[in-house]
Amino acid sequence: MTVTLDHRPRLLLVDDEPTNLQVLRQVLQQEYRLQFATDGQRALELAREHTPDLILLDVVMPGLDGLAVCQQLKADPVLANIPVIFVTACMDPADETRAVEAGGVDFITKPVNPMVVRARVKTHLTLKAQEDFLRSLVFVDGLTGVANRRRFDEALLSEWRQCRRAGTPLALLMIDI
């Protein structure tokens, strides 16, 4: 049995219209691993289960709309660094402003231009890879490859806040060598 690892970036495509998802699938399937959701709640579930490298998100959806989904993603420390590109038929500058304020990194109008979609996805994946690399330089000791004190302080603060919200205890043992 042969096991092959697929190292292509993972994209989550979210739209309540299956035809729009099909168009994006045709544009992106050769270069990326794709996941699909037709509503906001399912998008959040998939993002938590299989953290995507980038999300293309429709703004107008029944139930949980794209802006609310993006806000929830940005509020979750594990998912906050995933770039979100809004894909929508809305062309009003106020809609674009709301998308950016919700945490989106870009805005593509429908009907999509395949070349524009590919270029923006590639650009934001490149930026994310560079950001991840810089983050690793900041939080990992270059000699040992072990998380450093800055990473410890950040993780402790995050855990402290989570335990406070949940009302659970937090224990800490720190040994310095």
Side-chain angles (χ1 to χ4, degrees):
M1 180 163 111
T2 304
V3 177
T4 58
L5 297 176
D6 191 347
H7 296 290
R8 296 178 300 162
R10 181 188 311 264
L11 306 183
L12 174 57
L13 311 178
V14 186
D15 199 307
D16 59 319
E17 287 293 326
T19 37
N20 293 334
L21 291 174
Q22 281 297 329
V23 168
L24 290 171
R25 184 182 70 75
Q26 290 291 343
V27 171
L28 300 166
Q29 70 182 348
Q30 296 298 320
E31 297 176 63
Y32 306 103
R33 292 178 292 158
L34 305 177
Q35 294 177 286
F36 305 93
T38 55
D39 64 75
Q41 194 59 47
R42 181 66 180 143
L44 290 170
E45 290 168 8
L46 284 172
R48 289 183 183 112
E49 289 172 20
H50 310 282
T51 307
D53 296 297
L54 184 135
I55 299 173
L56 283 95
L57 180 60
D58 186 18
V59 174
V60 180
M61 294 185 293
L64 199 60
D65 72 4
L67 298 175
V69 170
C70 189
Q71 289 168 339
Q72 287 189 34
L73 290 166
K74 298 306 173 185
D76 184 329
V78 174
L79 306 174
N81 293 322
I82 301 171
V84 175
I85 299 176
F86 284 103
V87 183
T88 184
C90 302
M91 293 188 197
D92 183 9
D95 292 322
E96 190 171 353
T97 300
R98 281 190 290 278
V100 171
E101 288 172 348
V105 296
D106 210 337
F107 191 87
I108 300 173
T109 56
K110 295 177 190 172
V112 297
N113 175 332
M115 291 181 69
V116 168
V117 171
R118 281 189 207 101
R120 292 191 181 175
V121 165
K122 183 177 179 181
T123 296
H124 288 291
L125 286 172
T126 300
L127 289 171
K128 182 181 185 306
Q130 291 169 346
E131 181 182 329
D132 290 347
F133 176 69
L134 289 173
R135 186 175 290 109
S136 75
L137 291 177
V138 170
F139 292 125
V140 175
D141 181 86
L143 180 62
T144 64
V146 175
N148 63 18
R149 176 62 188 256
R150 184 177 288 130
R151 176 66 183 110
F152 168 80
D153 291 341
E154 183 183 87
L156 176 61
L157 181 60
S158 174
E159 290 299 319
W160 174 260
R161 287 179 178 156
Q162 184 175 348
C163 288
R164 248 179 59 191
R165 281 191 305 269
T168 58
L170 175 67
L172 171 67
L173 175 64
M174 185 171 180
I175 300 172
D176 191 9
I177 299 175

